[in-house]
Amino acid sequence: MRFLSAVWYSSIVSSHIDHKPFKFFLYDKNIYKRRIGRLIFMKKKWKDIMVMIPGKMKKHKKLTAALLVLFVLAGVFAGRLALTRKAKGGNQIQTQKATKGTIKKTVEGSGSVASAATQTISFSSDVSVQSIKKKDGSSVKKGDTIAVLTSSSLEDSISSLENQISSLESTLSQGAESASSTISSKVSGRVKRIYAKDGTAVAKTMDSKGALMEISADGKLKIEFKPSQTVKTGDSVTVKFGEYSVSGKISGVSSGKATAVISDSYYYDVDTKASVYNSSNKKLGSGKLKSNSPITVTGDKGTVSSIEVSKNQKVYSGTTLITLSGAGYSKTYESNLAKHEALVDQLEELKKEKKNLTVTAKYDGVVDELSASAGTTVSKGKTFCKVVSTTAYKVNIDVDELDIKEIKTGQSVSVTADAIEDKTFKGTVTKVSKIGTNTDGVATYPVTIELSDAEDLYPAMSATATITTQEASDAVLVPVSAVQSKNGKNYVAVVSDKSEEGTLKEVEVGIMNDSNAQITSGISEGDQVQVITKNTSNKSEGDKMMGPDGLGGGNGKGGGSGAPGGGSGMPGGSR
């Protein structure tokens, strides 16, 4: 009986320490106090039970009391161990504070170092090597002379071009006078509008007005109006404007508007307001006088030298309307002028090439591919040598197809070289190629990174580049394993004095990498959240990482383990 009683009490104590599979595992001093309080309460209850046990149990009261003390101490110890508890599969759940800091999401790639700039030297004619100042593989500073070359064919080409240019310039000077031209009327009629002005470029007037002049070609003016009563085509009307009263006729009626026409005259100006009356002298409506058949006068180049007609003047086909200056040259002159410009451009290029016969380095670097020696000839178009820059380097890496969409020019990069320990180089993404290669079913895309500091680096060194694709500072951060997902929403279990097992709070997640997740709303810095630590010794069970109310997570996709979630895991990010 004593043995059974002791076992019964031990089971009561242990059941209150770990009475069921824990939904959350946490460590909190308040919870610890509550656990001990329960044990003391149970001790008192046990004493009450012992009083009720008859007979021989009373005789061994001292022994029973000693056993009680031992069991209580064992229960306290077990409760202390339970503060860091285990979930199914051996995964541990602890509490951790949400902190503020900087979070980055990165993509990593490997490649090699290369020079960011290479000066390639070749010539458009055969050249002879007069002397070599720097050998292949030599280090050079910007401006150092590498070699001195000569070219008789280049000198001949320059001389020939100079003669051709001189001859053309003589021809051009003889016909260089500016060609005067005129704009004439193509129809007979009366000038009703003049937009052109003396000294104004034709193109400027065309841009602003759309024409240089307007001519009324049929000798008639019209007025469009809304009639106050019914009219029909052919009705006689009187058009009154200013001091004039002119007889006319209705020339058409359409869409509620009527048009009356009158004969044009030197005295009638377009845009003058006029009124139309019927045969009973009743006003039908009003409008403005316009050319009935307007012909616009246009141009495209030159400057107006003089206006040869006046407004309302009668003109005939061929009448000179405007005189222009600088309107253009003869076709022969323009052809010679174009040829002269082309020859001058060629001469400039040959003179630059002649200057380059003294080969100098454009920047600090190393002489490469220099095989010629003094007295030899380098053929036209063949590379004489290269200068590979040692002050500007780049790293070419291949990025996986799953990550390439995150890479943009201008992103910051950290680069490490296998041959240089404990040093990180900074760079920037300068080119992202859309043309990839597929090897064994995996596509990769070239990315170019320019380094801002390249001291100690050499071309062809192996390098690893870490590209920062996303970054946030002063962000509220929690471990990735604190984030759970269910039905497309994210949650974090927040622990407080009132809730020892944690209360789920919906949160908005920003950047997420292998270790941390940015919480943009839902919790604040300092909040205690539950974190699941995966036990790798029992991977099959740990992968489930069951949470409360069925919340659980599979393996996350991306770099690192996914956050716990319902069904499929929350992606863990690239890195």
Side-chain angles (χ1 to χ4, degrees), residues 10 20 83 100 102 227 255 310 320 323-324 340 442 454 489 500 547:
S10 175
K20 60 180 179 179
L83 292 177
K100 272 198 174 183
T102 298
S255 301
S310 59
T320 299
T323 299
L324 305 174
H340 177 271
V442 178
K489 295 182 179 181
E500 63 182 65

Side-chain angles (χ1 to χ4, degrees), residues 248-287:
K249 288 186 178 294
I250 300 296
S251 63
V253 180
S254 176
S255 301
K257 289 186 177 182
T259 301
V261 295
I262 60 174
S263 297
D264 192 9
S265 168
Y266 177 83
Y267 303 101
Y268 304 159
D269 293 332
V270 293
D271 297 327
T272 299
K273 188 174 181 180
S275 298
V276 181
Y277 295 83
N278 62 12
S279 57
S280 300
N281 202 31
K282 184 176 181 179
K283 185 176 179 180
L284 298 174
S286 60

Side-chain angles (χ1 to χ4, degrees), residues 271-510:
D271 297 327
T272 299
K273 188 174 181 180
S275 298
V276 181
Y277 295 83
N278 62 12
S279 57
S280 300
N281 202 31
K282 184 176 181 179
K283 185 176 179 180
L284 298 174
S286 60
K288 290 184 177 181
L289 294 176
K290 297 180 180 179
S291 297
N292 188 55
S293 179
I295 301 296
T296 56
V297 178
T298 61
D300 58 0
K301 58 184 178 179
T303 301
V304 176
S305 177
S306 62
I307 306 295
E308 305 297 340
V309 294
S310 59
K311 190 167 67 171
N312 291 322
Q313 178 180 331
K314 180 71 174 178
V315 296
Y316 302 92
S317 177
T319 300
T320 299
L321 305 175
I322 302 171
T323 299
L324 305 174
S325 62
Y329 299 99
S330 67
K331 291 183 179 180
T332 301
Y333 184 89
E334 289 182 347
S335 175
N336 287 335
L337 188 62
K339 187 176 180 180
H340 177 271
E341 290 175 354
L343 292 176
V344 168
D345 290 342
Q346 292 178 38
L347 181 61
E348 289 300 317
E349 289 299 319
L350 291 181
K351 285 184 175 181
K352 287 180 182 178
E353 196 166 309
K354 180 181 178 181
K355 185 179 179 180
N356 291 337
L357 289 173
T358 299
V359 180
T360 58
K362 287 185 177 180
Y363 27 68
D364 295 356
V366 176
V367 178
D368 191 28
E369 297 185 24
L370 176 55
S371 59
S373 57
T376 60
T377 299
V378 180
S379 301
K380 171 184 177 181
K382 184 179 179 181
T383 298
F384 171 68
C385 73
K386 294 181 179 180
V387 178
V388 179
S389 172
T390 55
T391 56
Y393 283 106
K394 63 183 178 181
V395 175
N396 299 311
I397 66 171
D398 291 324
V399 175
D400 187 89
E401 59 186 315
L402 298 178
D403 297 322
I404 193 64
K405 288 185 177 180
E406 297 184 36
I407 309 301
K408 303 288 187 296
T409 57
Q411 290 174 337
S412 60
V413 188
S414 296
V415 176
T416 57
D418 295 349
I420 303 173
E421 296 182 356
D422 301 325
K423 188 169 184 178
T424 300
F425 304 89
K426 294 181 179 180
T428 304
V429 176
T430 56
K431 184 179 179 182
V432 181
S433 177
K434 292 185 177 180
I435 302 175
T437 56
N438 193 302
T439 304
D440 297 328
V442 178
T444 57
Y445 296 82
V447 173
T448 302
I449 299 158
E450 275 196 17
L451 299 177
S452 55
D453 59 332
E455 188 177 358
D456 300 329
L457 287 177
Y458 290 91
M461 280 185 171
S462 297
T464 300
T466 302
I467 304 170
T468 300
T469 58
Q470 289 180 285
E471 182 175 5
S473 57
D474 197 32
V476 175
L477 305 177
V478 298
V480 167
S481 57
V483 181
Q484 306 172 52
S485 64
K486 186 177 183 180
N487 298 328
K489 295 182 179 181
N490 297 315
Y491 300 89
V492 168
V494 179
V495 177
S496 65
D497 292 342
K498 296 180 180 179
S499 176
E500 63 182 65
E501 292 191 345
T503 301
L504 283 182
K505 286 191 176 182
E506 185 178 347
V507 295
E508 294 292 331
V509 178

